[in-house]
Amino acid sequence: MSRQFPIFLDISNKKIYVYGAGKIASRRVMTLLDFSPCLTVVAPQASPKIMEASEAGMLRWVCEKYEAGTVPEDAFMVLAATDDNAVNEAVWRECKGKRIPVNVCSDRSLCDFQFPGIAIKDDVVIGINAGGADHRLAREWTDRIRKEVEKDGYDDQAEKAQNDSKAQKNGPGDQDG
């Protein structure tokens, strides 16, 4: 599979649907909650984390199984993360027909995008991806980077970088953004 281009999107007001509420879906939902309050989880049962988030009004949990034809046309993106590969594939087929980007946790060849490991500190967001082939490697790097970003010296490093960029006020800067 070819490399994927990292892109950062504002999903703060986008409708995101997650089908499934088990271990993988819960981990991804908890990550998405840092970026979007417009999450809907569709699953007949949910993990304690998803139930708590639903009760706290952080997401909407629809307590039912996926039914063909029920993916909303206005969904911005969908995650198919059930424990049933056939259901994940059915969600994928429906999303493809509606031209909705979809990530299928059980088959990377069906993914329009990959779900990255995320490290966050204030306004700094770092996404980590290992091409979808080695989840262990991606998790190891995510953990390493999270630890580095959360170190006490992080704030000093950010301030130093900001001061360094101010010192170069007449330079050409980074032309690629």
Side-chain angles (χ1 to χ4, degrees):
M1 186 173 250
S2 61
R3 285 188 191 152
Q4 305 245 329
F5 179 77
I7 188 168
F8 290 82
L9 297 170
D10 178 1
I11 61 170
S12 59
N13 292 307
K14 306 292 187 199
K15 293 179 182 178
I16 300 168
Y17 287 78
V18 179
Y19 289 86
K23 182 179 175 181
I24 293 171
S26 294
R27 192 169 58 239
R28 292 179 178 188
V29 165
M30 294 303 118
T31 298
L32 285 168
L33 285 174
D34 284 331
F35 300 93
S36 176
C38 302
L39 292 177
T40 299
V41 176
V42 180
Q45 298 175 342
S47 70
K49 286 182 179 183
I50 288 181
M51 286 191 288
E52 288 171 21
S54 175
E55 290 168 5
M58 298 168 64
L59 60 82
R60 188 175 78 125
W61 172 34
V62 178
C63 184
E64 60 189 37
K65 290 182 177 184
Y66 164 76
E67 294 289 331
T70 61
V71 174
E73 297 275 346
D74 64 345
F76 178 73
M77 72 178 183
V78 170
L79 279 68
T82 73
D83 295 332
D84 185 331
N85 293 348
V87 170
N88 290 343
E89 193 169 323
V91 171
W92 170 78
R93 264 193 306 284
E94 183 172 346
C95 287
K96 295 313 286 181
K98 294 179 178 179
R99 296 182 180 195
I100 299 169
V102 61
N103 173 281
V104 179
C105 75
S106 57
D107 188 344
R108 71 182 177 146
S109 71
L110 301 181
C111 295
D112 293 316
F113 62 93
Q114 294 176 356
F115 203 91
I118 301 283
I120 300 173
K121 172 78 175 197
D122 301 324
D123 289 337
V124 174
V125 178
I126 301 168
I128 298 94
N129 180 285
D134 192 341
H135 298 295
R136 182 192 54 77
L137 179 63
R139 184 172 298 138
E140 284 177 13
W141 274 100
T142 301
D143 291 343
R144 289 172 65 181
I145 292 169
R146 275 189 191 132
K147 287 177 188 171
E148 185 65 29
V149 174
E150 293 171 357
K151 281 185 180 178
D152 291 341
Y154 168 77
D155 292 327
D156 294 335
Q157 293 169 16
E159 185 176 322
K160 181 183 180 316
Q162 186 176 25
N163 289 337
D164 288 349
S165 68
K166 287 179 183 175
Q168 298 175 4
K169 61 185 168 190
N170 293 327
D174 182 357
Q175 300 299 315
D176 293 326

